[in-house]
Amino acid sequence: MSAEPGAAPGPEHPDPLAVVRTRGYAVLLIMVAILGVPISALAFGFLALVHELQTLTYEDLPRGLGFDTTPSWWPVPLLAVAGLLTALTVRHLPGTGGHNPAEGMSHAGPPASVELPGIALAALTSLGLGAVLGPEAPLIALGGGLALFAVRLVKPGIAPSAGAMVAAAGSFAAVSTLLGSPLLGAFLLMETSGLAGMTLGLALVPGLLASGIGSLIFIGLGSWTGLGTYSLTLPGVPHADDPTVGAFGWAIALGAAAAFAGAGIKRLSLSLQKHTGRRTVPSAVVMGLVVGVLALLYAESTGHDASQVLYSGQDALGPLLATDAGLSVATLVILIVCKGLAYCVSLSTFRGGPIFPSMFIGAAGGLALSHLPGLDPTSGFAMGVGAMCVAMLKLPMTSVLLATLLLGSEGITVMPLVIVAVVVSYVLTLRFDPGAAPHTAPR
């Protein structure tokens, strides 16, 4: 499914309309619908396990050792252990624990079945012990790999193009509600794949079907288990002011600032990756210590919980935006610096996804600037999220949707500002990195 837009139908580029009318395409949709159920359930279980590991290591274990509360220094040794376990997985298991998040969202196709245990284990040790990364990249890899493995068991001779669509649908199912809506997951994978035109529609329909089924599974399991859906949501979003000329000026400034910040984060993380790759295990332990120390410094300098620096930031976005969050401008600046540096280190060493930390850093930056005249907190929050996402991912449509759908009805109000911030950040990001063209499908 890698036909160029506008390519004439032929042996290498079949007519998409003709493919849709075939019996095999209908069978493929049924297969995808069936596979979506177990893959979504496994993705839900993976997210639940990550959450339980975080609770166990940062809440239950300190109390079990006699501490009334989690000490501010607690992340330091725990992140060193995380670095050690992740590095051992990367070094000794097939697949190097999945792609390195410092290199952006992977679009090189699903992993082989032999690589899946290493990807899952590296993600669990990274995310469960506090690395500043999200679960989206491992879920995409695991969903695609599991779907392809399952379909090859049933139909060993499946055509590569059909196998690619099944793998993509598995990825859709795995991240169906993680970003707050099945459509957001669809746009993420659509932009990452680089497909276009009718070829996109041909590949997107099975993915949308799997994503819808996955969303139902997540909602059902969340209700049945009482664990929730692990979906990105923001309750009680404050009112956003109507856009003004001054607010559009802030959109340009935020977009430019995010592009500079994103370029700095990527360059630092890639530089660290070159050095940590030479001696994987000891370097990973040191990098884990660095993340823990950054969390400790934030806690000691501000009096706030070290957990605000750790993890992906997905669950912290709501409290960050809440009017009673109680974070001063100075605290927000310290949080941005510590979280940003911890993000760089995590990108270079651990395994996970780059989306949620970029959202959190952008949101904190927008809130810090909202203390200045002409910018309300909700607009600053949304523009920061969109601008920082596109600076890190180079996916403009996904970034706009993430920043606006997240805010519910207020997202419609701030959408023009978000679009300006995202476009400015996207254009500047491409200028800073001329070789960074939009993703193209692998051949």
Side-chain angles (χ1 to χ4, degrees), residues 167-204:
S171 296
F172 274 72
V175 295
S176 55
T177 61
L178 183 65
L179 300 177
S181 164
L183 283 178
L184 268 173
F187 267 98
L188 171 67
L189 291 167
M190 177 183 73
E191 285 196 290
T192 302
S193 70
L195 296 173
M198 280 300 298
T199 302
L200 169 61
L202 189 65
L204 191 59

Side-chain angles (χ1 to χ4, degrees), residues 177-181 184 229-237 313-319 321 356 359 381 405-408:
T177 61
L178 183 65
L179 300 177
S181 164
L184 268 173
T229 62
Y230 303 105
S231 177
L232 181 61
T233 56
L234 290 184
V237 175
Q314 175 186 355
D315 295 333
L317 282 169
L321 181 59
F356 291 115
M359 293 176 65
F381 179 96
L405 295 183
L406 183 61
L407 300 179

Side-chain angles (χ1 to χ4, degrees), residues 330-356:
T331 299
L332 284 169
V333 171
I334 296 172
L335 176 59
I336 293 167
V337 172
C338 291
K339 185 89 170 183
L341 291 174
Y343 183 33
C344 290
V345 174
S346 297
L347 285 170
S348 71
T349 303
F350 293 96
R351 293 295 185 265
I355 295 178
F356 291 115

